[in-house]
Amino acid sequence: MSDEELQVNDSLDVISEIEDGAEQFLTFILGDEEYGVEILRVQEIKGWDTVTNIPNSPHYLCGVLNLRGTIVPVVDLRLRFEMAECEYTATTVIVVLNIEGETQRTVGIVVDGMSDTHNVIPSDIKPSPDFGNTIKTDYITGLVTLGDNMVMLLDIDRLLSVEAIG
């Protein structure tokens, strides 16, 4: 078999995996944890760039970014999750996401680094534990084990709604 035929067969294998009901997630690192979002909601991934600060905005809203003529609010996900602030490094990226709600919007999230893309079978997704009213987890759609890691799958529409980010 030629290299070209192998590449076609590899592509067909990936397509058949997805057709078998698997959903694709993009995973990223935040602190010591790994999180995932539906890959179809990802518009692009950019290296960290300075943003324009907006006065009187919530502490986790870094500012806005001009992305090819579209003004995109940028949320530091560490601060949104009330984690310790850390310095941005060469691995820090902005993941630009399409958010659905009353209106469709584009929002960027700052994360510590990218991890990978994964095909996840919906039956492998476990519900997030119920902590009662003490810990808010309504933006976590579920948990999935990928290799040795537990990955939290995020409901970005709830997490980054207009009401949630101010």
Side-chain angles (χ1 to χ4, degrees):
M1 224 181 251
S2 71
D3 287 342
E4 191 173 299
E5 289 172 318
L6 285 174
Q7 288 175 344
V8 169
N9 285 339
D10 289 343
S11 297
L12 291 175
D13 289 342
V14 170
I15 290 169
S16 67
E17 283 182 37
I18 297 168
E19 287 176 356
D20 287 342
E23 298 173 13
Q24 284 195 312
F25 288 87
L26 175 72
T27 58
F28 55 85
I29 305 296
L30 202 60
D32 294 330
E33 302 298 328
E34 195 168 352
Y35 297 85
V37 294
E38 293 174 64
I39 201 159
L40 294 176
R41 304 300 284 285
V42 177
Q43 182 175 321
E44 70 180 84
I45 301 166
K46 287 179 55 60
W48 169 251
D49 197 1
T50 56
V51 296
T52 303
N53 292 323
I54 301 294
N56 300 318
S57 60
H59 71 285
Y60 48 80
L61 185 63
C62 299
V64 294
L65 180 68
N66 185 340
L67 189 63
R68 292 180 298 285
T70 301
I71 303 303
V72 177
V74 178
V75 173
D76 187 322
L77 211 51
R78 276 180 158 277
L79 299 179
R80 176 73 176 91
F81 288 161
E82 298 180 14
M83 299 169 81
E85 193 172 348
C86 79
E87 196 172 315
Y88 298 147
T89 67
T91 61
T92 303
V93 295
I94 299 173
V95 180
V96 180
L97 301 167
N98 296 315
I99 308 301
E100 295 176 2
E102 290 181 25
T103 61
Q104 288 192 340
R105 306 178 303 122
T106 304
V107 175
I109 57 171
V110 179
V111 299
D112 296 342
M114 296 311 303
S115 182
D116 208 347
T117 58
H118 298 279
N119 293 332
V120 176
I121 298 170
S123 61
D124 290 343
I125 300 172
K126 306 300 179 214
S128 58
D130 182 10
F131 293 107
N133 292 334
T134 57
I135 300 174
K136 197 171 180 178
T137 60
D138 59 339
Y139 54 82
I140 299 174
T141 58
L143 301 152
V144 66
T145 302
L146 299 172
D148 294 334
N149 297 332
M150 179 74 67
V151 177
M152 286 177 258
L153 304 177
L154 301 177
D155 180 341
I156 59 170
D157 296 328
R158 284 188 179 179
L159 179 65
L160 302 171
S161 68
V162 172
E163 299 78 24
I165 63 173

